Amino acid sequence: MKFVILGILIAFVVADPARFDNYRVYSVSVESEDNLKVLRSVNRGLNGYDFLVEPRILGDTADIIVPPHLQNDFEQLAKKHELKVELVIPDLQHFDVNEYHSTEHINEWLYYLAEQYPEVQIIRGGSTFEGRDIIGININRRGDDSPGIFIESNIHAREWITSASTVWMINKLLTATENEPEYKDLADNINWYIFPVVNVDGYEYSRDVYRMWRKTRSRQGFICHGVDPNRNWDTYWQTGGTGASDNMCDGDFGGPEAFSEIETETLSDYILSIQDKLNIYISFHSAAELLLFPWGHTSDPVPGFEDFNTIAQTTVDALRERHGTQYRFGSINQAIYPATGGSIDWVFLRLGILSYCYEFRSRNTATEIKDLADNINWYIFPIINVDGYEYTRNVYRMWRKTRSQQGLICNGVDPNRNWDVYWEKGGIGSSANMCDGSFAGPEAFSEIETKSLSEYILSLADNLNFYISFHSAANMLLFPWATINALHARHGTNYTYGPVYSTIYPTTGISSDWVHYALGIPGFTYEFRNRNTATGENYGFLAPPEEIQPNAEEVLDSLVALVQKATELGYMTPNAPGRRQ
């Protein structure tokens, strides 16, 4: 029986992996024998210190893991023995900006940023019913003369995506490099006031108790809790009896009076205290894919409507261009519904500055890509010219051809000039010189690569509806229907399109022509991007690794459009136009 109980205890112990929340990692320079002795003598074990990099010899560095309960002790130890330490990992469990975090964890991260970046300061925007602070950060690299933007996030408790997105944006602002000039310009030249979680009590309640909670957590009557904090601002509060509820149990209850909630009252006081520093106020919500501006209480246009509208149009166009997300825009009252007591209306009424509300996306734009996976029979060969590819990796980066022996001193045939379709030795678009990069070969299908692949394609001819060949680097699609807009949408890449002959150059013996000739199905050639769309850097065939993802993203987006148009025109059926029967 003892062994059974022990086994059960061990099972419980190992059931969950060890966590290292708030464990810090310090890098320590080993500059003396005393340093080495101190590090080797620290208490190690389950509740003690540990090392990622052990202290070994003088002149080396050691990376020591310090659990939360020993952090003060370690700081005293370092001071006493004059250890040169540097905090390299503030939380060994890590802070992932692509996850949802508690307010406490977010605030710990904000305090860490304030320690690490001289341009970052912690700011307190107010307090909550349950006694928590509304914590944010100020990012200001230029000084007090820079224009100011205020971001209010997660005022509705259940809208977790708003605070998570705000955290991601903070990280991007602080880490943007010269290769991300738009983001870096925002970080360098704007005075940011950012509050990831405004409705702290409600957010934590939605995490711990009821996921769909929206309001604050103040006591309302005998059985109800909370007020909608975006119906509680003192601007046309409860005007006309629309846009908010007077039932204290409803999700959009506007409160017993304007600014009844300590969250809205204290945050409004903070906003007024910095009003001379603000130029734009932005409120993040989800989920309706809207960009909204005042008013909420009336359909009458806000003063300066044309400017509000023009800025919104430009912003929405940029969203669509980069990610294909279809936002609508307009006044709150007209674009979504009547609403009173909202923050952006109050800010505009009191401060007279631009104020906008984002309603984040409500759907996954990648569902169309999943549809491709679910409903298309794919045959995909990542590398056709295997010998040539390995030769480019190991010997000569700019090699183009196969590696077959051609004469006494030459190697290889251009495998995209060797297909048996209008093949002509030395014909247009190819060379008869066996040492040239575009050498078409001594005869059509002279290369085992093209011959064997063509035979495989013929073996599954009845299963194919169209054929796509990927090349680089000229920003072209040869020859499409309606995919160019989709290629442009995500990253702004400008492709041209048309027949191979007139769009890039005359050429013979290419795979997409052969497929169309032999099978009667459409054949397309993509010439991938040849430059970085953000910086303009032209890299031709030598695309750096960071170009893999954006290139793949935009091409996959374009395949969605290609399949949709091909389906519309009847090419995705067994009786497709022109198909060889």
Side-chain angles (χ1 to χ4, degrees), residues 103-121:
T103 312
E104 181 181 11
H105 202 184
I106 292 171
N107 289 347
E108 288 173 354
W109 181 66
L110 296 180
Y111 276 99
Y112 164 71
L113 295 178
E115 293 176 1
Q116 294 296 111
Y117 295 92
E119 67 268 37
V120 174
Q121 290 187 334

Side-chain angles (χ1 to χ4, degrees), residues 380-397 399-404 412-416 447-450 452-453:
I380 303 175
F381 290 89
I383 303 174
I384 298 298
N385 183 6
V386 182
D387 296 345
Y389 175 67
E390 290 303 318
Y391 190 75
T392 68
R393 290 173 57 84
N394 299 319
V395 181
Y396 178 50
R397 177 64 180 85
W399 187 257
R400 169 187 174 102
K401 302 186 288 180
T402 62
R403 290 297 300 158
S404 58
V413 167
D414 184 336
N416 205 38
E447 302 306 283
I448 189 172
E449 292 90 347
T450 56
S452 57
L453 182 61

Side-chain angles (χ1 to χ4, degrees), residues 108-109 137 179 206 256 291 309 332 370 374 442 531 572:
E108 288 173 354
W109 181 66
I137 61 169
N179 292 328
S206 74
L291 183 57
N309 208 57
I332 298 169
K370 187 176 185 302
D374 290 345
R531 62 185 179 86
M572 302 301 284

Side-chain angles (χ1 to χ4, degrees), residues 115-282:
E115 293 176 1
Q116 294 296 111
Y117 295 92
E119 67 268 37
V120 174
Q121 290 187 334
I122 294 294
I123 50 180
R124 182 179 178 275
S127 54
T128 74
F129 175 78
E130 294 178 350
R132 298 179 172 98
D133 287 332
I134 301 172
I135 298 296
I137 61 169
N138 173 221
I139 304 173
N140 190 2
R141 289 179 176 170
R142 263 181 46 187
D144 290 339
D145 63 331
S146 53
I149 296 179
F150 190 106
I151 292 181
E152 159 230 301
S153 180
N154 226 147
I155 197 169
H156 282 152
R158 64 192 179 193
E159 296 170 10
W160 296 4
I161 189 67
T162 59
S163 55
S165 297
T166 302
V167 162
W168 190 95
M169 292 176 201
I170 289 171
N171 185 67
K172 178 57 70 174
L173 287 172
L174 292 174
T175 60
T177 67
E178 299 293 342
N179 292 328
E180 301 166 300
E182 301 98 334
Y183 297 142
K184 192 171 187 305
D185 182 65
L186 286 178
D188 290 347
N189 297 300
I190 300 294
N191 186 8
W192 295 93
Y193 297 85
I194 306 176
F195 289 90
V197 184
V198 168
N199 182 6
V200 183
D201 297 346
Y203 175 64
E204 291 304 316
Y205 188 77
S206 74
R207 288 174 56 86
D208 298 334
V209 181
Y210 179 51
R211 176 63 181 86
M212 294 303 291
W213 188 257
R214 169 186 172 102
K215 301 186 288 180
T216 62
R217 289 298 299 160
S218 58
R219 187 76 179 175
Q220 303 295 325
F222 291 108
I223 61 171
C224 301
H225 286 273
V227 166
D228 184 335
N230 204 40
R231 299 293 185 275
N232 190 241
W233 296 67
D234 191 11
T235 173
Y236 304 105
W237 180 81
Q238 296 285 49
T239 300
T242 61
S245 173
D246 57 6
N247 183 336
M248 61 182 65
C249 289
D250 283 351
D252 61 347
F253 174 49
E257 60 182 342
F259 286 146
S260 62
E261 302 308 282
I262 188 173
E263 291 88 350
T264 56
E265 182 185 25
T266 55
L267 186 61
S268 67
D269 289 341
Y270 178 76
I271 292 168
L272 289 174
S273 75
I274 58 168
Q275 61 179 317
D276 293 340
K277 300 178 181 180
L278 299 180
N279 297 82
I280 300 175
Y281 185 95
I282 297 172

